[in-house]
Amino acid sequence: AGGGSSSSSSSSALRALQAKYDRLKRLRQTDAERALEEAQAAWKKKQEAHRAALAAVQRQLEEAGGPGGAAKAARALEAARAEKEAMASELREAQLARQVAERERDTLLAANEALTEEVERTHDTYAALTSVRAVPDDADPDVLHCSARNRGARKHVRYDLRFTAGTGGGAAELRLVPTTNVGLLPSYLQGGARFTPDEAPRFVAKTVDALYRE
């Protein structure tokens, strides 16, 4: 019963670590980063629109030398003042939106960095305690590239673990595929092995035990 509890705990810890890793992969472009880009684009668009409006007012002032010029100049100046106030107000709003987006981005980046450090610490602790390191495949999240090392004896093996979900009521399966120094493994593992996730701790322990066997 104790072995089953340990196996279940190990599987749960591995699943939790994989979930954290998947979350890290999804944080390539956050909502805050997109909001910041949108705020910056809106700010630039407003600046361009206000520049065009002020240029139009300037042309009106230059054309105010003919009949009714004083009235035209007064209207142009009033339009210029209104446009300047509107521009200042809208630019303040755009700048505030950008600042908010920057703060949200910085908060998420800090959380991302903290999560990365937590995953790395967990992985390093697991490796120190078990001599096994596992790295998810970049292209296939169902594959782990593993290595087990006995540093004192300068012996190591590498192998892949491929997870296959159960279908039609069948049990999930892990497939162990040795890739380096296959001859150091027990004979029954040298050609690979298939087992359930609950059996994984026992089979992984066999790969480590082979490296420390005198």
Side-chain angles (χ1 to χ4, degrees), residues 8-26 114-128 130 132-136 141 144-146:
S8 177
S9 298
S10 300
S11 299
S12 297
L14 184 60
R15 285 195 297 271
L17 185 61
Q18 182 66 43
K20 289 182 178 180
Y21 175 81
D22 292 341
R23 182 183 168 195
L24 281 176
K25 291 185 70 174
R26 289 194 297 271
L115 182 59
T116 301
E117 292 176 354
E118 181 185 351
V119 170
E120 290 175 349
R121 284 196 304 270
T122 302
H123 188 266
D124 289 345
T125 301
Y126 175 82
T130 65
V132 177
R133 285 188 175 274
V135 180
L144 289 174
H145 301 297
C146 305

Side-chain angles (χ1 to χ4, degrees), residues 33-93:
E33 286 174 326
R34 286 192 290 270
L36 176 57
E37 291 175 359
E38 292 171 0
Q40 289 174 329
W43 193 3
K44 184 177 180 181
K45 186 175 181 180
K46 289 179 184 296
Q47 285 178 315
E48 293 173 351
H50 287 304
R51 288 194 191 101
L54 290 174
V57 170
Q58 181 63 34
R59 286 194 298 273
Q60 291 178 21
L61 287 172
E62 293 171 354
E63 296 168 358
K72 290 181 180 179
R75 288 195 296 272
L77 287 173
E78 181 62 29
R81 281 194 292 269
E83 183 62 29
K84 182 178 180 180
E85 291 175 1
M87 178 179 181
S89 176
E90 291 184 4
L91 289 183
R92 281 195 299 271
E93 291 177 2

Side-chain angles (χ1 to χ4, degrees), residues 153-177:
R154 296 186 177 181
K155 296 192 294 186
H156 75 279
V157 295
R158 296 181 187 277
Y159 54 91
D160 291 344
L161 285 177
R162 176 177 291 277
F163 175 79
T164 303
T167 57
E173 181 184 78
L174 278 169
R175 180 186 176 198
L176 184 149
V177 182

